Amino acid sequence: MATLVFLEHHGDELLKTSLAVLSKAATLGDDDLSGVVVGANVRALADGAGKYGAKKVYVADDAQLEAPLPQPRVDVLAQLVRDKGIDTVLFANSVLAADVAAGLAARLDAGLNWDLVDLTQENGKLVGKRPALQDSVYADVGWTSEPRLALFRSGSFDPSESGGSAEVEELQVSLEDFSTSARMVDQAHEESSGPSIEDADVIVAGGRGLGGPENFTLVEELAKALGGAVAATRAVVDAGWYPYATQVGQTGKTVSPKLYIACGISGAIQHKVGMQASGVIVAINKDANAPIFEFSDLGVVGDVHEIVPKLTELVRARQTS
Ligand SMILES: Cc1cc2nc3c(=O)[nH]c(=O)nc-3n(C[C@H](O)[C@H](O)[C@H](O)COP(=O)(O)OP(=O)(O)OC[C@H]3O[C@@H](n4cnc5c(N)ncnc54)[C@H](O)[C@@H]3O)c2cc1C
């Protein structure tokens, strides 16, 4: 087996989700496990990947690769697959990675399994696990040809530092004419403070039970006191109360913080699948029969407008004492 993991970066850091997929690949016992970093001025990022299990890291470092556009990355990966005999390419889901994976599948006429949450070796064959029927069942999926491509749902694995150092090989970048015809005109960053929901150890999530967008200050204050991030349900995102980037669940993000506090959230299956891997789940809901209590470690039956400010006060008091 010769596995390659697409190591995406933002700024001068490799994404935790990519390192998590690399860590997972390292558990499958591939002696030929490699990663690839693509961008401009990214050589220094390659050294960090060895710790997560890569034996080799390929670096495509070129000014033409600075903008996060998919087709130039497809060129780099297609060339690597052909030249180095790569038989498996793994991606952690992101807007860019999904585009690159789809483009690579088209370019190489390869099979891409999408939205996987696990990967195992069974009788010498790779088997992916894919949620289906609104995440109520898992289907085993495979590949009938090589190279095998797989895109993993974010939050499916944790990065783990099990390896040593990786050999770094710089690649000669040669791009197709059609790959350079798209140009990035502008790139804007959403203003935010505190950790992102993918990285946060603590998440305070708000649902329709908050009663209105103005009451999100309650969860924001609690999240701030705990040094955590704010998340939301689809119901409140659809209502325009909070941004989609914070949506947890089947059609949002999958998160696994140490602590997840659900405020005024019913606990629908589509929300549950995005947060059930959290370490400790605390639910505050005025309805004692709300489904969320069935999978919470700690439940508070009460009004979020009373409980949440008191909890914030207590956390702050504990911190100053
Ligand atoms: C295909 C599909 C994909 C979906 N994807 C997602 C997804 O990614 N993420 C997601 O979250 N949902 C998703 N949904 C929607 C999901 O089914 C639920 O509708 C949604 O999660 C409900 O959000 P909620 O808990 O905020 O609202 P509600 O279900 O309306 O629950 C509000 C809760 O607040 C409680 N409450 C009310 N007032 C108070 C108060 N004052 N104090 C305390 N508690 C109070 C109520 O008892 C209730 O339990 C999806 C649905 C479909 C069909």
Side-chain angles (χ1 to χ4, degrees):
M1 214 163 94
T3 306
L4 177 73
V5 179
F6 177 65
L7 298 172
E8 192 176 341
H9 67 283
H10 277 183
D12 55 5
E13 270 184 28
L14 293 175
L15 292 194
K16 189 177 143 186
T17 47
S18 297
L19 294 173
V21 169
L22 180 60
S23 305
K24 172 67 198 180
T27 65
L28 298 174
D30 179 0
D31 292 333
D32 231 352
L33 177 60
S34 57
V36 59
V37 184
V38 186
N41 301 318
V42 289
R43 167 65 186 80
L45 296 180
D47 296 323
K51 277 194 292 209
Y52 298 89
K55 301 280 189 290
K56 191 166 204 171
V57 181
Y58 299 103
V59 180
D61 196 336
D62 192 295
Q64 296 181 90
L65 297 167
E66 183 167 12
L69 291 169
Q71 284 303 326
R73 282 159 176 77
V74 173
D75 290 347
V76 172
L77 268 71
Q79 188 189 329
L80 256 181
V81 169
R82 290 189 193 118
D83 293 354
K84 309 286 179 186
I86 305 280
D87 53 46
T88 307
V89 189
L90 309 180
F91 299 83
N93 191 23
S94 72
V95 173
L96 177 64
D99 274 354
V100 177
L104 189 64
R107 190 82 68 87
L108 300 176
D109 197 18
L112 167 61
N113 272 311
W114 194 266
D115 197 30
L116 299 188
V117 294
D118 201 5
L119 186 68
T120 49
Q121 281 256 31
E122 284 173 29
N123 304 321
K125 281 192 167 177
L126 278 181
V127 178
K129 204 165 271 306
R130 180 170 187 204
L133 298 175
Q134 301 193 354
D135 287 2
S136 57
V137 295
Y138 290 99
D140 284 348
V141 293
W143 292 259
T144 52
S145 61
E146 292 179 357
R148 297 170 281 244
L149 312 186
L151 184 82
F152 291 91
R153 200 181 264 198
S154 64
S156 298
F157 315 116
D158 287 323
S160 99
E161 296 189 19
S162 57
S165 59
E167 183 193 335
V168 176
E169 182 177 328
E170 296 193 28
L171 301 170
Q172 287 296 327
V173 176
S174 141
L175 303 181
E176 305 283 351
D177 286 347
F178 56 80
S179 297
T180 50
S181 44
R183 199 164 49 87
M184 175 148 298
V185 180
D186 192 15
Q187 206 177 355
H189 291 278
E190 197 179 348
E191 291 298 324
S192 64
S193 56
S196 69
I197 60 170
E198 289 99 328
D199 291 327
D201 281 339
V202 177
I203 290 180
V204 185
R208 200 147 45 182
L210 284 170
E214 65 285 0
N215 294 328
F216 256 86
T217 49
L218 297 178
V219 289
E220 285 168 351
E221 289 295 311
L222 179 56
K224 198 167 154 200
L226 291 165
V230 175
T233 63
R234 177 165 165 178
V236 307
V237 171
D238 284 353
W241 294 4
Y242 227 63
Y244 172 69
T246 63
Q247 183 180 315
V248 165
Q250 186 187 327
T251 42
K253 290 181 177 147
T254 303
V255 295
S256 51
K258 290 183 182 149
L259 173 63
Y260 191 93
I261 306 180
C263 307
I265 293 177
S266 59
I269 175 78
Q270 297 89 358
H271 187 75
K272 181 184 173 190
V273 294
M275 44 69 83
Q276 62 193 349
S278 305
V280 174
I281 298 172
V282 177
I284 305 165
N285 195 304
K286 68 176 186 187
D287 176 5
N289 294 315
I292 190 125
F293 290 129
E294 288 164 23
F295 53 92
S296 302
D297 299 286
L298 194 78
V300 183
V301 179
D303 191 329
V304 281
H305 305 99
E306 287 171 26
I307 312 278
V308 178
K310 278 194 189 137
L311 192 54
T312 307
E313 226 173 85
L314 279 172
V315 172
R316 286 196 187 125
R318 185 72 69 88
Q319 280 164 349
T320 49
S321 67

